[in-house]
Amino acid sequence: MEKHQSILDLHPGLVWGFGITVVIMLLLDLGIFNKKSHEVSSKEATIWSVVWISLSMIFSGVVYWAFNTDGSPESHSLAIEKFTQYQAAYWIEKALSVDNLFVFILVFGFFKVPKYLHHKVLFWGIIGALIFRAIFIFAGIGIINLTYLPEMEIFGNPVKINVVMTLFGLFLVYAGIKSWGGHDDGDDEDYNDSAGAKLVKSFWKVSSTYDGDKFFTVQNGIKMATPLLVVVAVIEFTDVLFAVDSIPAIFAISNDPFILYTSNIFAILGLRSLYFLLANFIYMFSKLSYGLAIILSFIGVKMLIAPWIHIPSPVSLGIVGGVLVVSVLVSLLFPDKKIKKKLE
């Protein structure tokens, strides 16, 4: 079983260091490199993708260092466990984020968002994700800790079943089975009827046209929201819906909120650059949904059997990584021509 040792006890400064790094990177992104709204080139997207993935991999090394306190076999074992937990949670969230790009493309197309505004929408979408993911993760850990049933004997073995983890497991198996076979293309969906759009319209009138990169405009002396604010709200609510899958999935990987939140945030922070890098080549990842269906089902089964069988984090990481690699390779070998034609 996983050892419960808080990073706050080992290296409290690491938490502050993570927070400061994220804030600095966001300020650099918005205040310097993207101070003026512009269409993000493939070169710029590639550079930022490399930066974010490199930072997340470096941080996984920091996680190993932080828990390998004295170099003893026990400390090394704990450090490896935490390192692989971080990696597994990161790649699960990253894979689900790539899957989300299908919906982002549809949302931007539906609202006819100019390409130079895509970055601003995704930036504020990520700011909201930072807040909502923190709420989901820390509240989830608290609820899970409160919902263990008294120890009981099943099949001759003493076990402690967690009600929430069992429900999450059943839900993920169901989600995996339901998502098998790919996406509903969503072409007929009216995003004006989504919860995010309705929320904005309940507070403000919405103008019929964009006003540069402004969220509000004045027409005939009346302050109105622009369609850009509606798009941000739709993206925010879309992310909350996606979190219903991704957050329960990472609870099967670890119960350490520091590991879960940092891996989740690094994966999300790299989503914008990944969007601009892959948006025109999303057809090359058309089979990813099959891989995600297998991963979600595997994680659900892992949750359900956890009281009896513990699947180590390195094994989970190997399975998740292997499924992702195979699904991407199959996508490259058999690209979806229907999606490619829509992007042309």
Side-chain angles (χ1 to χ4, degrees):
M1 293 296 292
E2 179 183 338
K3 297 180 182 180
H4 298 279
Q5 193 163 10
S6 172
I7 195 68
L8 292 173
D9 298 328
L10 297 173
H11 296 282
L14 186 58
V15 177
W16 287 102
F18 167 77
I20 292 171
T21 299
V22 169
V23 171
I24 290 175
M25 292 300 295
L26 289 174
L27 291 175
L28 287 174
D29 189 346
L30 185 65
I32 297 179
F33 296 108
N34 294 284
K35 188 174 183 179
K36 189 174 182 180
S37 295
H38 66 285
E39 185 175 340
V40 177
S41 66
S42 295
K43 179 181 178 181
E44 183 180 350
T46 300
I47 292 172
W48 274 103
S49 293
V50 171
V51 168
W52 283 118
I53 292 175
S54 297
L55 279 175
S56 62
M57 294 300 99
I58 290 170
F59 192 80
S60 68
V62 174
V63 168
Y64 173 84
W65 165 82
F67 285 96
N68 189 23
T69 52
D70 56 15
S72 65
E74 294 79 9
S75 184
H76 172 72
S77 177
L78 176 61
I80 289 293
E81 179 76 6
K82 295 292 185 179
F83 171 84
T84 52
Q85 285 177 2
Y86 175 94
Q87 288 282 343
Y90 173 83
W91 289 111
I92 288 171
E93 181 61 38
K94 180 65 77 175
L96 290 170
S97 295
V98 172
D99 200 44
N100 296 354
L101 297 186
F102 286 94
V103 177
F104 289 173
I105 290 171
L106 291 174
V107 171
F108 286 138
F110 179 86
F111 288 102
K112 296 179 173 59
V113 183
K115 287 188 176 182
Y116 77 94
L117 295 177
H118 287 192
H119 180 276
K120 184 169 185 176
V121 172
L122 293 175
F123 178 88
W124 289 108
I126 284 171
I127 294 298
L130 296 178
I131 298 170
F132 286 119
R133 297 305 173 95
I135 295 172
F136 291 159
I137 289 173
F138 288 95
I141 291 293
I143 293 172
I144 288 171
N145 289 335
L146 293 174
T147 54
Y148 279 98
L149 297 177
E151 187 174 286
M152 62 186 74
E153 190 169 300
I154 300 179
F155 303 126
N157 297 312
V159 296
K160 291 190 71 174
I161 295 176
N162 187 281
V163 175
V164 170
M165 291 289 279
T166 300
L167 293 175
F168 280 166
L170 291 171
F171 170 75
L172 289 175
V173 171
Y174 167 77
I177 295 172
K178 186 178 179 182
S179 63
W180 180 264
H183 307 266
D184 176 5
D185 56 27
D187 287 342
D188 298 328
E189 184 162 354
D190 186 356
Y191 290 101
N192 275 317
D193 288 334
S194 66
K198 289 180 178 179
L199 179 64
V200 172
K201 292 176 182 179
S202 67
F203 286 97
W204 301 283
K205 289 185 176 180
V206 179
S207 64
S208 59
T209 58
Y210 292 92
D211 186 4
D213 62 357
K214 296 178 182 178
F215 289 130
F216 293 95
T217 188
V218 177
Q219 293 185 359
N220 299 321
I222 301 175
K223 184 177 181 180
M224 307 174 72
T226 68
L228 192 64
L229 184 63
V230 176
V231 176
V232 171
V234 171
I235 292 294
E236 292 283 10
F237 273 83
T238 299
D239 179 74
V240 170
L241 292 177
F242 284 131
V244 172
D245 283 344
S246 63
I247 298 302
I250 61 175
F251 284 147
I253 302 299
S254 175
N255 62 2
D256 187 329
F258 176 76
I259 296 294
L260 297 181
Y261 188 64
T262 53
S263 59
N264 210 264
I265 294 311
F266 268 121
I268 292 172
L269 288 172
L271 177 59
R272 284 164 305 133
S273 54
L274 198 61
Y275 168 82
F276 294 110
L277 185 62
L278 300 181
N280 293 327
F281 304 97
I282 199 69
Y283 62 91
M284 298 172 65
F285 295 85
S286 58
K287 306 301 185 293
L288 182 64
S289 58
Y290 291 94
L292 294 178
I294 294 172
I295 290 172
L296 289 174
S297 298
F298 161 70
I299 294 172
V301 171
K302 178 180 177 179
M303 282 182 166
L304 294 173
I305 66 175
W308 296 274
I309 302 173
H310 172 63
I311 300 177
S313 294
V315 174
S316 298
L317 177 60
I319 292 174
V320 170
V323 171
L324 288 178
V325 169
V326 170
S327 61
V328 171
L329 288 176
V330 173
S331 298
L332 294 174
L333 292 172
F334 306 99
D336 191 317
K337 294 180 180 179
K338 182 180 177 182
I339 298 176
K340 183 178 181 180
K341 187 175 181 180
K342 289 181 183 179
L343 297 173
E344 291 176 345

